[in-house]
Amino acid sequence: MICMICDDEKKELEDIERLILEYAAEHPELCMEVRCFSGPLDMLEEMGRSGAPDIALLDICMPGVLGTEIARELKSMSEDDTDIIFLTTSSDFAVEAFSLHVCDYLKKPYTKERLTRTLDRVVAERKNRIFASIKCMAGIYRIDLHQVLYAEARDHIVEIHLKSGKCLQTRTTLTELRRLFENVSGVEPVGVSYIVNLRWTRGISSNILEMENGDIIPVPRRLRRELKQKYFDYYTREATVK
C-alpha cells in the first residue's frame, strides 16, 4: 500500500510521516510504503512516474496551489482509487472537500487516535473493494468495479463509464464484462445493450434510469417492473446495512 503525504511545512510533514510510519509498523500486513513531499508539484511529478497512491494525506493551503486542486488531479489519475484525507488548519474548505468525496477532513491539531480511526476506516473499506484489470483500446486499466456507473455495448465495442467521468472502450462483449461483476452487489443488466450499477443510479421512472452523472438509460417495457423492484430492494439493503 502506497501512502503519499504532501505538506509545505517541514515540521508538519515530519510529524505526519512519524504517525503514518507508526501506523505502518502496527499493521505490517499492509506492507505500507510512505513517500513525503514538501511541494504538490513534486508529488504530481512522482505520480506521473510511478502512478497514483492508495492513500494521500494533503494539506490544503500550500503556496501556488490548493490541496483541493491536487485532489481533483489525483482522482482523475487514479479513477477514484486514491483515498484522500485532508489535514489543515482551516475550516473554510470543508464543503468543497467533501464535494470531492474525500475520506476525511482533519483540522490541525489532531490526535494520533483521531488519525488512526480514519486510517482504520479507509483500510477496511479498501479491503471490501473489487478490482479488475480490463484490456481497453488505450491500454490496460485496473479499475474498482464499484466505481463503474454503467457499460453500454455499441458497434462491437463496450463503453465503460466510470464515476470519475472517464469512458473506457474495450472490444470485449457485454456478456464477458458481466462476469466480472458477479460478486458486485447492485449491478444489473438492462436489455441487451447495458449493464448498470444501481449504486450510482439517481432515480428510476416509468421507462428510464437516470445515472449519477445525468446520463439516461432506456429501460425496455418488459423489464420495468422487475428493475424497479431490484432498485427498491438494493437501497433497502444498503439502508439496513448502514
PDB file of all heavy atoms in Angstrom, residues 93-126:
ATOM      1  N   PHE A  93     -12.538  25.190   3.783  1.00  0.00           N
ATOM      2  CA  PHE A  93     -12.630  24.374   2.573  1.00  0.00           C
ATOM      3  C   PHE A  93     -13.387  23.067   2.797  1.00  0.00           C
ATOM      4  O   PHE A  93     -13.369  22.189   1.936  1.00  0.00           O
ATOM      5  CB  PHE A  93     -11.224  24.077   2.038  1.00  0.00           C
ATOM      6  CG  PHE A  93     -10.438  25.307   1.695  1.00  0.00           C
ATOM      7  CD1 PHE A  93      -9.599  25.897   2.641  1.00  0.00           C
ATOM      8  CD2 PHE A  93     -10.531  25.879   0.438  1.00  0.00           C
ATOM      9  CE1 PHE A  93      -8.877  27.028   2.332  1.00  0.00           C
ATOM     10  CE2 PHE A  93      -9.807  27.014   0.121  1.00  0.00           C
ATOM     11  CZ  PHE A  93      -8.980  27.601   1.074  1.00  0.00           C
ATOM     12  N   ALA A  94     -14.041  22.937   3.935  1.00  0.00           N
ATOM     13  CA  ALA A  94     -14.676  21.661   4.285  1.00  0.00           C
ATOM     14  C   ALA A  94     -15.755  21.274   3.283  1.00  0.00           C
ATOM     15  O   ALA A  94     -15.825  20.117   2.844  1.00  0.00           O
ATOM     16  CB  ALA A  94     -15.259  21.736   5.691  1.00  0.00           C
ATOM     17  N   VAL A  95     -16.620  22.218   2.906  1.00  0.00           N
ATOM     18  CA  VAL A  95     -17.706  21.901   1.977  1.00  0.00           C
ATOM     19  C   VAL A  95     -17.145  21.468   0.634  1.00  0.00           C
ATOM     20  O   VAL A  95     -17.572  20.460   0.051  1.00  0.00           O
ATOM     21  CB  VAL A  95     -18.647  23.113   1.808  1.00  0.00           C
ATOM     22  CG1 VAL A  95     -19.677  22.847   0.707  1.00  0.00           C
ATOM     23  CG2 VAL A  95     -19.357  23.422   3.117  1.00  0.00           C
ATOM     24  N   GLU A  96     -16.174  22.223   0.115  1.00  0.00           N
ATOM     25  CA  GLU A  96     -15.556  21.859  -1.160  1.00  0.00           C
ATOM     26  C   GLU A  96     -14.873  20.502  -1.064  1.00  0.00           C
ATOM     27  O   GLU A  96     -14.948  19.688  -1.987  1.00  0.00           O
ATOM     28  CB  GLU A  96     -14.548  22.928  -1.573  1.00  0.00           C
ATOM     29  CG  GLU A  96     -13.878  22.641  -2.907  1.00  0.00           C
ATOM     30  CD  GLU A  96     -12.842  23.680  -3.294  1.00  0.00           C
ATOM     31  OE1 GLU A  96     -12.600  24.599  -2.471  1.00  0.00           O
ATOM     32  OE2 GLU A  96     -12.279  23.572  -4.390  1.00  0.00           O
ATOM     33  N   ALA A  97     -14.212  20.253   0.063  1.00  0.00           N
ATOM     34  CA  ALA A  97     -13.500  18.991   0.239  1.00  0.00           C
ATOM     35  C   ALA A  97     -14.448  17.804   0.161  1.00  0.00           C
ATOM     36  O   ALA A  97     -14.183  16.823  -0.545  1.00  0.00           O
ATOM     37  CB  ALA A  97     -12.761  18.992   1.572  1.00  0.00           C
ATOM     38  N   PHE A  98     -15.552  17.870   0.877  1.00  0.00           N
ATOM     39  CA  PHE A  98     -16.468  16.726   0.880  1.00  0.00           C
ATOM     40  C   PHE A  98     -17.241  16.599  -0.422  1.00  0.00           C
ATOM     41  O   PHE A  98     -17.726  15.515  -0.757  1.00  0.00           O
ATOM     42  CB  PHE A  98     -17.394  16.794   2.093  1.00  0.00           C
ATOM     43  CG  PHE A  98     -16.708  16.382   3.370  1.00  0.00           C
ATOM     44  CD1 PHE A  98     -16.411  17.305   4.363  1.00  0.00           C
ATOM     45  CD2 PHE A  98     -16.313  15.070   3.565  1.00  0.00           C
ATOM     46  CE1 PHE A  98     -15.752  16.936   5.519  1.00  0.00           C
ATOM     47  CE2 PHE A  98     -15.644  14.684   4.716  1.00  0.00           C
ATOM     48  CZ  PHE A  98     -15.361  15.618   5.696  1.00  0.00           C
ATOM     49  N   SER A  99     -17.348  17.692  -1.191  1.00  0.00           N
ATOM     50  CA  SER A  99     -17.957  17.575  -2.521  1.00  0.00           C
ATOM     51  C   SER A  99     -17.063  16.754  -3.446  1.00  0.00           C
ATOM     52  O   SER A  99     -17.523  16.231  -4.462  1.00  0.00           O
ATOM     53  CB  SER A  99     -18.195  18.966  -3.125  1.00  0.00           C
ATOM     54  OG  SER A  99     -16.969  19.571  -3.513  1.00  0.00           O
ATOM     55  N   LEU A 100     -15.791  16.622  -3.077  1.00  0.00           N
ATOM     56  CA  LEU A 100     -14.858  15.791  -3.840  1.00  0.00           C
ATOM     57  C   LEU A 100     -14.870  14.338  -3.357  1.00  0.00           C
ATOM     58  O   LEU A 100     -14.103  13.515  -3.853  1.00  0.00           O
ATOM     59  CB  LEU A 100     -13.435  16.346  -3.699  1.00  0.00           C
ATOM     60  CG  LEU A 100     -13.187  17.731  -4.300  1.00  0.00           C
ATOM     61  CD1 LEU A 100     -11.810  18.248  -3.899  1.00  0.00           C
ATOM     62  CD2 LEU A 100     -13.308  17.684  -5.812  1.00  0.00           C
ATOM     63  N   HIS A 101     -15.735  14.043  -2.383  1.00  0.00           N
ATOM     64  CA  HIS A 101     -15.868  12.687  -1.835  1.00  0.00           C
ATOM     65  C   HIS A 101     -14.557  12.198  -1.216  1.00  0.00           C
ATOM     66  O   HIS A 101     -14.160  11.038  -1.405  1.00  0.00           O
ATOM     67  CB  HIS A 101     -16.350  11.706  -2.907  1.00  0.00           C
ATOM     68  CG  HIS A 101     -17.638  12.113  -3.558  1.00  0.00           C
ATOM     69  ND1 HIS A 101     -18.850  12.043  -2.913  1.00  0.00           N
ATOM     70  CD2 HIS A 101     -17.900  12.631  -4.784  1.00  0.00           C
ATOM     71  CE1 HIS A 101     -19.806  12.481  -3.715  1.00  0.00           C
ATOM     72  NE2 HIS A 101     -19.249  12.853  -4.850  1.00  0.00           N
ATOM     73  N   VAL A 102     -13.901  13.094  -0.474  1.00  0.00           N
ATOM     74  CA  VAL A 102     -12.697  12.671   0.242  1.00  0.00           C
ATOM     75  C   VAL A 102     -13.105  11.869   1.477  1.00  0.00           C
ATOM     76  O   VAL A 102     -14.263  11.898   1.902  1.00  0.00           O
ATOM     77  CB  VAL A 102     -11.824  13.886   0.650  1.00  0.00           C
ATOM     78  CG1 VAL A 102     -11.396  14.659  -0.587  1.00  0.00           C
ATOM     79  CG2 VAL A 102     -12.552  14.785   1.630  1.00  0.00           C
ATOM     80  N   CYS A 103     -12.142  11.163   2.044  1.00  0.00           N
ATOM     81  CA  CYS A 103     -12.452  10.263   3.153  1.00  0.00           C
ATOM     82  C   CYS A 103     -12.604  10.992   4.486  1.00  0.00           C
ATOM     83  O   CYS A 103     -13.387  10.579   5.330  1.00  0.00           O
ATOM     84  CB  CYS A 103     -11.374   9.195   3.274  1.00  0.00           C
ATOM     85  SG  CYS A 103     -11.317   8.115   1.851  1.00  0.00           S
ATOM     86  N   ASP A 104     -11.821  12.054   4.668  1.00  0.00           N
ATOM     87  CA  ASP A 104     -11.930  12.784   5.934  1.00  0.00           C
ATOM     88  C   ASP A 104     -11.275  14.146   5.795  1.00  0.00           C
ATOM     89  O   ASP A 104     -10.495  14.405   4.861  1.00  0.00           O
ATOM     90  CB  ASP A 104     -11.274  12.000   7.079  1.00  0.00           C
ATOM     91  CG  ASP A 104     -11.998  12.234   8.411  1.00  0.00           C
ATOM     92  OD1 ASP A 104     -12.684  13.267   8.541  1.00  0.00           O
ATOM     93  OD2 ASP A 104     -11.882  11.376   9.301  1.00  0.00           O
ATOM     94  N   TYR A 105     -11.595  15.018   6.750  1.00  0.00           N
ATOM     95  CA  TYR A 105     -11.102  16.396   6.785  1.00  0.00           C
ATOM     96  C   TYR A 105     -10.705  16.655   8.232  1.00  0.00           C
ATOM     97  O   TYR A 105     -11.550  16.919   9.085  1.00  0.00           O
ATOM     98  CB  TYR A 105     -12.233  17.325   6.335  1.00  0.00           C
ATOM     99  CG  TYR A 105     -11.870  18.775   6.121  1.00  0.00           C
ATOM    100  CD1 TYR A 105     -11.633  19.261   4.840  1.00  0.00           C
ATOM    101  CD2 TYR A 105     -11.804  19.667   7.191  1.00  0.00           C
ATOM    102  CE1 TYR A 105     -11.331  20.602   4.633  1.00  0.00           C
ATOM    103  CE2 TYR A 105     -11.494  21.005   6.995  1.00  0.00           C
ATOM    104  CZ  TYR A 105     -11.266  21.463   5.708  1.00  0.00           C
ATOM    105  OH  TYR A 105     -10.975  22.791   5.491  1.00  0.00           O
ATOM    106  N   LEU A 106      -9.425  16.501   8.524  1.00  0.00           N
ATOM    107  CA  LEU A 106      -8.949  16.629   9.894  1.00  0.00           C
ATOM    108  C   LEU A 106      -8.350  18.013  10.113  1.00  0.00           C
ATOM    109  O   LEU A 106      -7.453  18.439   9.379  1.00  0.00           O
ATOM    110  CB  LEU A 106      -7.894  15.567  10.209  1.00  0.00           C
ATOM    111  CG  LEU A 106      -8.315  14.104  10.028  1.00  0.00           C
ATOM    112  CD1 LEU A 106      -7.228  13.188  10.546  1.00  0.00           C
ATOM    113  CD2 LEU A 106      -9.620  13.826  10.725  1.00  0.00           C
ATOM    114  N   LYS A 107      -8.854  18.696  11.121  1.00  0.00           N
ATOM    115  CA  LYS A 107      -8.374  20.042  11.423  1.00  0.00           C
ATOM    116  C   LYS A 107      -7.218  19.951  12.409  1.00  0.00           C
ATOM    117  O   LYS A 107      -7.300  19.285  13.439  1.00  0.00           O
ATOM    118  CB  LYS A 107      -9.515  20.878  11.995  1.00  0.00           C
ATOM    119  CG  LYS A 107      -9.230  22.371  12.008  1.00  0.00           C
ATOM    120  CD  LYS A 107     -10.534  23.135  12.188  1.00  0.00           C
ATOM    121  CE  LYS A 107     -10.262  24.645  12.195  1.00  0.00           C
ATOM    122  NZ  LYS A 107      -9.556  25.103  13.360  1.00  0.00           N
ATOM    123  N   LYS A 108      -6.107  20.590  12.057  1.00  0.00           N
ATOM    124  CA  LYS A 108      -4.938  20.619  12.927  1.00  0.00           C
ATOM    125  C   LYS A 108      -5.206  21.530  14.129  1.00  0.00           C
ATOM    126  O   LYS A 108      -5.852  22.576  13.978  1.00  0.00           O
ATOM    127  CB  LYS A 108      -3.722  21.139  12.165  1.00  0.00           C
ATOM    128  CG  LYS A 108      -3.333  20.310  10.943  1.00  0.00           C
ATOM    129  CD  LYS A 108      -2.199  20.999  10.175  1.00  0.00           C
ATOM    130  CE  LYS A 108      -1.839  20.241   8.917  1.00  0.00           C
ATOM    131  NZ  LYS A 108      -0.787  20.939   8.137  1.00  0.00           N
ATOM    132  N   PRO A 109      -4.717  21.192  15.307  1.00  0.00           N
ATOM    133  CA  PRO A 109      -4.014  19.937  15.636  1.00  0.00           C
ATOM    134  C   PRO A 109      -5.014  18.800  15.860  1.00  0.00           C
ATOM    135  O   PRO A 109      -6.093  19.006  16.396  1.00  0.00           O
ATOM    136  CB  PRO A 109      -3.299  20.295  16.934  1.00  0.00           C
ATOM    137  CG  PRO A 109      -4.188  21.311  17.578  1.00  0.00           C
ATOM    138  CD  PRO A 109      -4.800  22.102  16.462  1.00  0.00           C
ATOM    139  N   TYR A 110      -4.670  17.619  15.421  1.00  0.00           N
ATOM    140  CA  TYR A 110      -5.496  16.429  15.606  1.00  0.00           C
ATOM    141  C   TYR A 110      -4.670  15.430  16.416  1.00  0.00           C
ATOM    142  O   TYR A 110      -3.446  15.538  16.514  1.00  0.00           O
ATOM    143  CB  TYR A 110      -5.905  15.826  14.258  1.00  0.00           C
ATOM    144  CG  TYR A 110      -4.736  15.655  13.332  1.00  0.00           C
ATOM    145  CD1 TYR A 110      -3.919  14.532  13.404  1.00  0.00           C
ATOM    146  CD2 TYR A 110      -4.423  16.644  12.407  1.00  0.00           C
ATOM    147  CE1 TYR A 110      -2.823  14.398  12.587  1.00  0.00           C
ATOM    148  CE2 TYR A 110      -3.325  16.512  11.575  1.00  0.00           C
ATOM    149  CZ  TYR A 110      -2.529  15.398  11.667  1.00  0.00           C
ATOM    150  OH  TYR A 110      -1.428  15.257  10.856  1.00  0.00           O
ATOM    151  N   THR A 111      -5.321  14.468  16.986  1.00  0.00           N
ATOM    152  CA  THR A 111      -4.617  13.474  17.801  1.00  0.00           C
ATOM    153  C   THR A 111      -4.241  12.257  16.960  1.00  0.00           C
ATOM    154  O   THR A 111      -4.816  12.013  15.895  1.00  0.00           O
ATOM    155  CB  THR A 111      -5.498  13.008  18.970  1.00  0.00           C
ATOM    156  OG1 THR A 111      -6.653  12.335  18.434  1.00  0.00           O
ATOM    157  CG2 THR A 111      -5.947  14.187  19.821  1.00  0.00           C
ATOM    158  N   LYS A 112      -3.300  11.507  17.469  1.00  0.00           N
ATOM    159  CA  LYS A 112      -2.929  10.255  16.819  1.00  0.00           C
ATOM    160  C   LYS A 112      -4.131   9.324  16.757  1.00  0.00           C
ATOM    161  O   LYS A 112      -4.347   8.633  15.747  1.00  0.00           O
ATOM    162  CB  LYS A 112      -1.781   9.591  17.579  1.00  0.00           C
ATOM    163  CG  LYS A 112      -1.388   8.238  17.018  1.00  0.00           C
ATOM    164  CD  LYS A 112      -0.271   7.577  17.830  1.00  0.00           C
ATOM    165  CE  LYS A 112       0.056   6.197  17.267  1.00  0.00           C
ATOM    166  NZ  LYS A 112       1.143   5.532  18.029  1.00  0.00           N
ATOM    167  N   GLU A 113      -4.929   9.315  17.819  1.00  0.00           N
ATOM    168  CA  GLU A 113      -6.106   8.432  17.865  1.00  0.00           C
ATOM    169  C   GLU A 113      -7.103   8.796  16.777  1.00  0.00           C
ATOM    170  O   GLU A 113      -7.705   7.925  16.148  1.00  0.00           O
ATOM    171  CB  GLU A 113      -6.778   8.520  19.238  1.00  0.00           C
ATOM    172  CG  GLU A 113      -5.981   7.892  20.385  1.00  0.00           C
ATOM    173  CD  GLU A 113      -4.750   8.692  20.759  1.00  0.00           C
ATOM    174  OE1 GLU A 113      -4.731   9.921  20.502  1.00  0.00           O
ATOM    175  OE2 GLU A 113      -3.800   8.088  21.311  1.00  0.00           O
ATOM    176  N   ARG A 114      -7.276  10.102  16.547  1.00  0.00           N
ATOM    177  CA  ARG A 114      -8.227  10.556  15.520  1.00  0.00           C
ATOM    178  C   ARG A 114      -7.761  10.138  14.134  1.00  0.00           C
ATOM    179  O   ARG A 114      -8.554   9.638  13.319  1.00  0.00           O
ATOM    180  CB  ARG A 114      -8.369  12.085  15.589  1.00  0.00           C
ATOM    181  CG  ARG A 114      -9.314  12.675  14.534  1.00  0.00           C
ATOM    182  CD  ARG A 114     -10.752  12.276  14.811  1.00  0.00           C
ATOM    183  NE  ARG A 114     -11.650  12.909  13.861  1.00  0.00           N
ATOM    184  CZ  ARG A 114     -11.901  12.437  12.633  1.00  0.00           C
ATOM    185  NH1 ARG A 114     -11.320  11.316  12.243  1.00  0.00           N
ATOM    186  NH2 ARG A 114     -12.727  13.064  11.829  1.00  0.00           N
ATOM    187  N   LEU A 115      -6.481  10.305  13.846  1.00  0.00           N
ATOM    188  CA  LEU A 115      -5.946   9.891  12.550  1.00  0.00           C
ATOM    189  C   LEU A 115      -5.999   8.378  12.397  1.00  0.00           C
ATOM    190  O   LEU A 115      -6.324   7.868  11.312  1.00  0.00           O
ATOM    191  CB  LEU A 115      -4.503  10.388  12.407  1.00  0.00           C
ATOM    192  CG  LEU A 115      -3.787  10.013  11.110  1.00  0.00           C
ATOM    193  CD1 LEU A 115      -4.531  10.541   9.894  1.00  0.00           C
ATOM    194  CD2 LEU A 115      -2.348  10.533  11.128  1.00  0.00           C
ATOM    195  N   THR A 116      -5.718   7.658  13.473  1.00  0.00           N
ATOM    196  CA  THR A 116      -5.757   6.194  13.422  1.00  0.00           C
ATOM    197  C   THR A 116      -7.154   5.690  13.085  1.00  0.00           C
ATOM    198  O   THR A 116      -7.314   4.751  12.298  1.00  0.00           O
ATOM    199  CB  THR A 116      -5.291   5.600  14.762  1.00  0.00           C
ATOM    200  OG1 THR A 116      -3.923   5.955  14.983  1.00  0.00           O
ATOM    201  CG2 THR A 116      -5.418   4.078  14.763  1.00  0.00           C
ATOM    202  N   ARG A 117      -8.182   6.302  13.673  1.00  0.00           N
ATOM    203  CA  ARG A 117      -9.557   5.885  13.373  1.00  0.00           C
ATOM    204  C   ARG A 117      -9.869   6.067  11.886  1.00  0.00           C
ATOM    205  O   ARG A 117     -10.504   5.217  11.258  1.00  0.00           O
ATOM    206  CB  ARG A 117     -10.558   6.682  14.216  1.00  0.00           C
ATOM    207  CG  ARG A 117     -10.588   6.288  15.682  1.00  0.00           C
ATOM    208  CD  ARG A 117     -11.880   6.727  16.355  1.00  0.00           C
ATOM    209  NE  ARG A 117     -12.098   8.163  16.259  1.00  0.00           N
ATOM    210  CZ  ARG A 117     -11.636   9.051  17.145  1.00  0.00           C
ATOM    211  NH1 ARG A 117     -10.900   8.636  18.168  1.00  0.00           N
ATOM    212  NH2 ARG A 117     -11.890  10.338  17.004  1.00  0.00           N
ATOM    213  N   THR A 118      -9.403   7.189  11.331  1.00  0.00           N
ATOM    214  CA  THR A 118      -9.626   7.435   9.903  1.00  0.00           C
ATOM    215  C   THR A 118      -8.900   6.405   9.055  1.00  0.00           C
ATOM    216  O   THR A 118      -9.466   5.849   8.106  1.00  0.00           O
ATOM    217  CB  THR A 118      -9.163   8.854   9.524  1.00  0.00           C
ATOM    218  OG1 THR A 118      -9.980   9.811  10.202  1.00  0.00           O
ATOM    219  CG2 THR A 118      -9.275   9.086   8.025  1.00  0.00           C
ATOM    220  N   LEU A 119      -7.655   6.132   9.377  1.00  0.00           N
ATOM    221  CA  LEU A 119      -6.885   5.151   8.608  1.00  0.00           C
ATOM    222  C   LEU A 119      -7.498   3.754   8.718  1.00  0.00           C
ATOM    223  O   LEU A 119      -7.564   3.016   7.726  1.00  0.00           O
ATOM    224  CB  LEU A 119      -5.436   5.129   9.092  1.00  0.00           C
ATOM    225  CG  LEU A 119      -4.609   6.377   8.770  1.00  0.00           C
ATOM    226  CD1 LEU A 119      -3.265   6.315   9.479  1.00  0.00           C
ATOM    227  CD2 LEU A 119      -4.407   6.535   7.265  1.00  0.00           C
ATOM    228  N   ASP A 120      -7.961   3.388   9.902  1.00  0.00           N
ATOM    229  CA  ASP A 120      -8.610   2.080  10.078  1.00  0.00           C
ATOM    230  C   ASP A 120      -9.831   1.961   9.162  1.00  0.00           C
ATOM    231  O   ASP A 120     -10.058   0.915   8.540  1.00  0.00           O
ATOM    232  CB  ASP A 120      -9.044   1.894  11.532  1.00  0.00           C
ATOM    233  CG  ASP A 120      -7.886   1.572  12.465  1.00  0.00           C
ATOM    234  OD1 ASP A 120      -6.806   1.196  11.959  1.00  0.00           O
ATOM    235  OD2 ASP A 120      -8.066   1.690  13.693  1.00  0.00           O
ATOM    236  N   ARG A 121     -10.608   3.029   9.100  1.00  0.00           N
ATOM    237  CA  ARG A 121     -11.825   3.010   8.264  1.00  0.00           C
ATOM    238  C   ARG A 121     -11.467   2.921   6.788  1.00  0.00           C
ATOM    239  O   ARG A 121     -12.070   2.140   6.034  1.00  0.00           O
ATOM    240  CB  ARG A 121     -12.659   4.259   8.542  1.00  0.00           C
ATOM    241  CG  ARG A 121     -13.872   4.410   7.630  1.00  0.00           C
ATOM    242  CD  ARG A 121     -14.817   5.490   8.138  1.00  0.00           C
ATOM    243  NE  ARG A 121     -14.123   6.745   8.389  1.00  0.00           N
ATOM    244  CZ  ARG A 121     -13.829   7.627   7.436  1.00  0.00           C
ATOM    245  NH1 ARG A 121     -14.144   7.382   6.173  1.00  0.00           N
ATOM    246  NH2 ARG A 121     -13.223   8.759   7.737  1.00  0.00           N
ATOM    247  N   VAL A 122     -10.474   3.703   6.367  1.00  0.00           N
ATOM    248  CA  VAL A 122     -10.063   3.690   4.964  1.00  0.00           C
ATOM    249  C   VAL A 122      -9.546   2.308   4.563  1.00  0.00           C
ATOM    250  O   VAL A 122      -9.914   1.771   3.513  1.00  0.00           O
ATOM    251  CB  VAL A 122      -8.969   4.757   4.724  1.00  0.00           C
ATOM    252  CG1 VAL A 122      -8.304   4.559   3.367  1.00  0.00           C
ATOM    253  CG2 VAL A 122      -9.583   6.158   4.810  1.00  0.00           C
ATOM    254  N   VAL A 123      -8.703   1.723   5.406  1.00  0.00           N
ATOM    255  CA  VAL A 123      -8.142   0.399   5.103  1.00  0.00           C
ATOM    256  C   VAL A 123      -9.242  -0.659   5.038  1.00  0.00           C
ATOM    257  O   VAL A 123      -9.263  -1.504   4.135  1.00  0.00           O
ATOM    258  CB  VAL A 123      -7.084   0.016   6.153  1.00  0.00           C
ATOM    259  CG1 VAL A 123      -6.682  -1.459   6.012  1.00  0.00           C
ATOM    260  CG2 VAL A 123      -5.854   0.904   6.019  1.00  0.00           C
ATOM    261  N   ALA A 124     -10.190  -0.600   5.971  1.00  0.00           N
ATOM    262  CA  ALA A 124     -11.292  -1.568   5.974  1.00  0.00           C
ATOM    263  C   ALA A 124     -12.122  -1.455   4.706  1.00  0.00           C
ATOM    264  O   ALA A 124     -12.514  -2.469   4.101  1.00  0.00           O
ATOM    265  CB  ALA A 124     -12.169  -1.348   7.208  1.00  0.00           C
ATOM    266  N   GLU A 125     -12.387  -0.231   4.264  1.00  0.00           N
ATOM    267  CA  GLU A 125     -13.176  -0.040   3.042  1.00  0.00           C
ATOM    268  C   GLU A 125     -12.416  -0.506   1.812  1.00  0.00           C
ATOM    269  O   GLU A 125     -13.000  -1.069   0.888  1.00  0.00           O
ATOM    270  CB  GLU A 125     -13.570   1.430   2.909  1.00  0.00           C
ATOM    271  CG  GLU A 125     -14.615   1.862   3.937  1.00  0.00           C
ATOM    272  CD  GLU A 125     -14.898   3.356   3.891  1.00  0.00           C
ATOM    273  OE1 GLU A 125     -14.200   4.074   3.134  1.00  0.00           O
ATOM    274  OE2 GLU A 125     -15.810   3.806   4.612  1.00  0.00           O
ATOM    275  N   ARG A 126     -11.101  -0.289   1.802  1.00  0.00           N
ATOM    276  CA  ARG A 126     -10.306  -0.735   0.653  1.00  0.00           C
ATOM    277  C   ARG A 126     -10.323  -2.257   0.530  1.00  0.00           C
ATOM    278  O   ARG A 126     -10.302  -2.803  -0.570  1.00  0.00           O
ATOM    279  CB  ARG A 126      -8.859  -0.241   0.758  1.00  0.00           C
ATOM    280  CG  ARG A 126      -8.702   1.261   0.572  1.00  0.00           C
ATOM    281  CD  ARG A 126      -7.240   1.648   0.435  1.00  0.00           C
ATOM    282  NE  ARG A 126      -6.708   1.223  -0.847  1.00  0.00           N
ATOM    283  CZ  ARG A 126      -6.857   1.902  -1.983  1.00  0.00           C
ATOM    284  NH1 ARG A 126      -7.521   3.041  -1.996  1.00  0.00           N
ATOM    285  NH2 ARG A 126      -6.330   1.451  -3.100  1.00  0.00           N
TER     286      ARG A 126
END
